Amino acid sequence: MTKETEKLLVKTALEYRKRAYTPYSGYKVGAALLAKNGTIYGGCNIENAAYTPTNCAERTAFFKAVSEGVTEFEAIAVFGGYDGGKLKVCAPCGVCRQVMAEFCDPDEFIIYIGTSEEDYKPHTLREMLPFSFSPKELEK
Ligand code: THU
């Protein structure tokens, strides 16, 4: 990925964070998912009064893409933190990592997390979810 695309991905995640619907936690997360075809899908967390229907920013982005027929991905940027506060490193939750494992190559898919447009790091999906249960396990 070019540095320009990487920067755009980070910017997009930060932009989508502003759309987070978080009346219960106040913790806002934005994600930007880069498909192999070059399209970027943004996502934010969407909370719910019944709590468990809450959807994380990462899954919002993945489900937007997959519902548009796009299933091949290169990278995702994720930024989170309390409304009005400093960003904290927001490592994707286990459920979101599992969704990534469904569609992404563990050694190629990159997850960018950090605390600002200037301060973030890449991690492979394998680093984030080692020894995972993926579609390979269901091959007969
Ligand atoms: N959240 C995300 O959107 N992504 C993560 O990877 C971690 C958690 C959301 C869910 C909930 O709305 C809020 O952050 C606090 O857990």
Side-chain angles (χ1 to χ4, degrees):
M1 184 191 321
T2 64
K3 203 72 196 168
E4 197 186 348
T5 305
E6 187 184 299
K7 293 273 169 207
L8 178 62
L9 203 63
V10 166
K11 261 190 197 304
T12 306
L14 290 167
E15 208 47 44
Y16 270 77
R17 184 172 168 266
K18 296 177 189 163
R19 300 183 183 175
Y21 175 76
T22 59
Y24 307 105
S25 75
Y27 189 87
K28 294 188 174 289
V29 185
L33 176 64
L34 175 66
K36 286 191 178 168
N37 69 10
T39 307
I40 292 176
Y41 295 89
C44 60
N45 52 335
I46 304 168
E47 297 186 344
N48 189 280
Y51 284 48
T52 56
T54 293
N55 206 54
C56 289
E58 299 91 315
R59 275 176 291 144
T60 302
F62 266 90
F63 296 161
K64 280 173 68 180
V66 174
S67 66
E68 296 297 331
V70 174
T71 55
E72 293 188 334
F73 305 104
E74 200 174 321
I76 192 168
V78 185
F79 289 90
Y82 279 107
D83 200 11
K86 280 191 176 170
L87 295 183
K88 297 169 175 230
V89 174
C90 179
C93 82
V95 174
C96 290
R97 294 178 200 203
Q98 187 63 36
V99 168
M100 293 174 195
E102 185 66 27
F103 297 103
C104 308
D105 183 305
D107 296 308
E108 286 179 5
F109 188 70
I110 303 296
I111 300 154
Y112 294 101
I113 50 176
T115 60
S116 75
E117 244 178 85
E118 292 76 38
D119 173 42
Y120 62 87
K121 283 198 184 115
H123 300 270
T124 63
L125 177 56
R126 192 181 295 285
E127 243 182 281
M128 293 268 177
L129 190 65
F131 203 17
S132 67
F133 190 88
S134 72
K136 277 200 311 293
E137 271 62 53
L138 295 185
E139 283 170 10
K140 287 185 178 145

